[in-house]
Amino acid sequence: MPTWTTRPETPADIPAVREIVTAAFPTAEEADLVDALRADPQAWIDGLSVVAETADGTLAGHALFTRCHVDGTPALALAPVAVLPAFQRQGAGAAAVRAGLDTARSLGENLVLVLGHPEYYPKFGFAPASRWSVRAPFEVPDEALMALPLAPGRPVPSGVIAYAAPFGV
């Protein structure tokens, strides 16, 4: 398995990030979401758009953490996570997610939420958000909405998630 270098996205990475996200999903909808979140100063947090690159500097994976709120309390939404098809299942996405979580902790963030594959995200420590009485503003299977408290000992907010405007909910 390759060794991945992770780092925050730079302005020069924007076209490659769009290529990664477009290649990883069936439509450009997620890539458009990333662009809209990048343009939203209420959502975007410098350092929390993370890329994973190969030893030769090829960008292969991307994970994005943006601002959301739970009952008015700041939290992070992890979405999307994307990897170029040629590099999928080789750890690029996991490396980007782990690096983003480490950065979020260092920034003093308290909670990360993800709506995703319930067999993938628990390896990072995510558990059903219902454990903390956190719920989406739309119907979603309980096992697909997950939360990861980042600051042991700090209270985890409960309530309905308010996503950034580009999410459209």
Side-chain angles (χ1 to χ4, degrees):
M1 203 176 287
T3 300
W4 302 102
T5 300
T6 58
R7 60 176 176 76
E9 168 191 300
T10 67
D13 298 326
I14 292 172
V17 167
R18 183 166 178 86
E19 179 183 330
I20 291 165
V21 179
T22 300
F25 291 94
T27 70
E29 192 173 329
E30 284 81 3
D32 293 343
L33 173 62
V34 172
D35 291 342
L37 288 165
R38 191 182 286 114
D40 182 344
Q42 300 299 312
W44 190 259
I45 301 168
D46 285 335
L48 288 178
S49 179
V50 181
V51 295
E53 60 187 5
T54 64
D56 71 1
T58 301
L59 295 190
H62 175 252
L64 180 60
F65 298 77
T66 54
R67 178 65 64 218
C68 68
H69 292 83
V70 176
D71 195 31
T73 301
L76 295 175
L78 169 56
V81 175
V83 178
L84 285 174
F87 295 103
Q88 289 178 358
R89 303 193 187 288
Q90 298 178 47
V97 169
R98 284 190 182 96
L101 291 171
D102 288 346
T103 300
R105 280 185 192 93
S106 75
L107 293 172
E109 294 292 338
N110 186 38
L111 181 66
V112 179
L113 302 160
V114 66
L115 177 60
H117 298 288
E119 56 281 343
Y120 182 73
Y121 291 97
K123 69 182 173 185
F124 304 105
F126 285 91
S130 60
R131 179 183 293 177
W132 296 277
S133 299
V134 174
R135 54 196 186 284
F138 46 81
E139 287 297 315
V140 58
D142 184 62
E143 67 275 5
L145 182 64
M146 292 166 274
L148 175 61
L150 297 177
R154 266 176 76 185
V156 175
S158 62
V160 177
I161 303 165
Y163 289 99
F167 281 100
V169 293

